[in-house]
Amino acid sequence: MGRGSTKNFVEEIEFLKRELNAVVLAHYYQEPGIQDVADYIGDSLGLAREAQGTDADVIVFCGVHFMAETAKILNPEKVVVLPDLEAGCSLSDSCPPGAFGEFVAARPDHTVVSYVNTSAAVKGLSDIICTSSNAERVIRSIPEGTPIIFGPDRHLGRYVAKRTGREMVLWPGSCIVHVQFSEKKIRQLKVRHPNAEVLAHPECEDRILDLADYIGSTTALLDHSRESGVREFIVATEAGIIHQMQKASPDKLFIPAPGDGPGCEACSECPHMRRNTLEKLAACMRDLNPRIEIDEELRLRALAPIKRMLEL
Ligand code: 13P
Ligand code: SF4
């Protein structure tokens, strides 16, 4: 098969899906071409559920490493491939397992809630996992009075603590994309678009969340943009989600929230997510490589808190 153009990659991916009995799962932060070829597009929770329920033999995970690793933890018998093994996550990297282990060990009476944006080793140190769409529900499921450690995103942690009224010890991590939005430039945009709603992911800093009309996970933001009667939105999360927002509501205007840095046009694109390309996607299906592999003992330790979340 000829290679090199988008059309050829898409044809090859579709052919390999059938040949391998493969399912292509993609996060909303993937480049539009990848979203268009995916069998399922979703937020972290939706993707984990989809991976749990699939009867495909091969899971092709278009997202970042911790997401593909979660799919492998749930499906040890399946082949899980990721277009670029180097697609990491700054938030996950901000929580090394050694240091987090010491943090947890110093608070033995605490229930440990970890965001899904963590390595398997950090998940293995946790009692329950959460995502941005169920964090509030997970915290409310913990009996009142139980001390809680929440990691690694301090902004999501602070937001959920405020929503639930629960005190939590926060690990001081953050996401490079969600902390770079400019409050000043969003305010200026709001002057030019007075009817626009600001949509924000809870990984954003407080000063951005304070400006938001609606706060939620990527799926929640997409659903809200579709259902809202408002016609203009300033979107404070990774700009990839706008592809689905625009598809669902072609007559509405979606403006990516500007970043703080000078000339920062693509700062709302996650550099880790964007390592995946259509070309690498076709190649990982052709070669069934790079694969996600995980030590069985570590997998079982990480599986228990993921299962607790999925059973909630
Ligand atoms: P969602 O769970 O909302 O999809 O978020 C994932 C993520 O990486 C946010 O930066
Ligand atoms: Fe990680 Fe942030 Fe990229 Fe999400 S947007 S994958 S939290 S670095």
Side-chain angles (χ1 to χ4, degrees):
M1 179 179 296
R3 293 189 185 136
S5 74
T6 299
K7 184 167 170 282
N8 287 344
F9 290 134
V10 170
E11 280 172 10
E12 187 180 7
I13 291 162
E14 292 299 348
F15 169 78
L16 289 168
K17 274 190 206 175
R18 293 188 295 275
E19 180 111 322
L20 300 168
N21 185 28
V23 65
V24 176
L25 307 181
H27 191 267
Y28 293 119
Y29 296 166
Q30 292 293 276
E31 62 169 50
I34 291 181
Q35 294 187 35
D36 289 345
V37 83
D39 298 300
Y40 176 85
I41 316 165
D43 66 3
S44 307
L45 182 63
L47 288 164
R49 287 200 188 287
E50 199 65 22
Q52 188 189 30
T54 185
D55 54 14
D57 297 316
V58 176
I59 299 175
V60 185
F61 209 107
C62 300
V64 289
H65 189 276
F66 76 81
M67 296 178 174
E69 190 174 60
T70 303
K72 182 68 181 176
I73 291 167
L74 290 164
N75 294 282
E77 76 296 349
K78 293 191 197 294
V79 172
V80 178
V81 289
L82 176 67
D84 189 323
L85 203 56
E86 300 295 308
C89 167
S90 67
L91 185 49
S92 176
D93 291 348
S94 72
C95 190
F100 192 66
E102 286 170 22
F103 191 76
V104 168
R107 298 163 180 85
D109 56 336
H110 285 55
T111 292
V112 182
V113 181
S114 289
Y115 195 29
V116 70
N117 298 41
T118 45
S119 61
V122 167
K123 289 186 175 76
L125 294 165
S126 311
D127 295 302
I128 186 162
I129 302 304
C130 72
T131 76
S132 57
S133 56
N134 64 13
E136 222 180 291
R137 188 152 163 222
V138 167
I139 296 301
R140 289 190 200 280
S141 76
I142 298 167
E144 288 279 351
T146 311
I148 298 170
I149 290 175
F150 187 95
D153 191 80
R154 66 179 188 277
H155 303 297
L156 175 66
R158 196 178 43 234
Y159 172 70
V160 174
K162 216 188 264 180
R163 297 272 310 169
T164 58
R166 301 291 289 270
E167 248 182 63
M168 307 196 298
V169 183
L170 305 180
W171 178 264
S174 62
C175 156
I176 46 168
V177 177
H178 288 89
V179 298
Q180 58 81 42
F181 293 117
S182 164
E183 179 190 342
K184 187 170 151 212
K185 291 182 192 163
I186 293 176
R187 284 189 193 282
Q188 287 167 349
L189 266 177
K190 281 201 66 140
V191 173
R192 293 213 300 279
H193 301 269
N195 298 321
E197 277 190 344
V198 176
L199 309 181
H201 194 279
E203 286 174 22
C204 292
E205 294 178 333
D206 246 0
R207 64 200 170 85
I208 304 298
L209 296 184
D210 287 347
L211 287 177
D213 298 288
Y214 187 84
I215 299 168
S217 75
T218 48
T219 297
L221 297 180
L222 172 61
D223 291 347
H224 178 80
S225 72
R226 188 193 296 114
E227 286 152 19
S228 167
V230 172
R231 315 220 61 77
E232 296 183 352
F233 301 90
I234 298 163
V235 183
T237 189
E238 216 272 4
I241 185 78
I242 293 178
H243 183 57
Q244 293 305 320
M245 289 176 167
Q246 199 71 77
K247 267 181 145 176
S249 311
D251 53 341
K252 295 184 182 176
L253 176 69
F254 296 97
I255 308 164
D260 244 335
C264 198
E265 270 81 42
C267 289
S268 57
E269 289 182 4
C270 171
H272 308 293
M273 285 277 182
R274 303 294 175 132
R275 289 186 78 98
N276 296 330
T277 61
L278 267 183
E279 184 175 0
K280 289 184 197 171
L281 168 54
C284 82
M285 294 177 77
R286 199 185 305 134
D287 304 338
L288 286 183
N289 191 54
R291 290 186 194 198
I292 304 289
E293 304 289 1
I294 183 165
D295 168 78
E296 182 59 9
E297 198 203 321
L298 175 59
R299 186 187 77 80
L300 291 173
R301 269 190 277 129
L303 178 64
I306 295 173
K307 270 185 141 175
R308 256 171 239 134
M309 168 184 82
L310 292 173
E311 280 159 11
L312 247 196

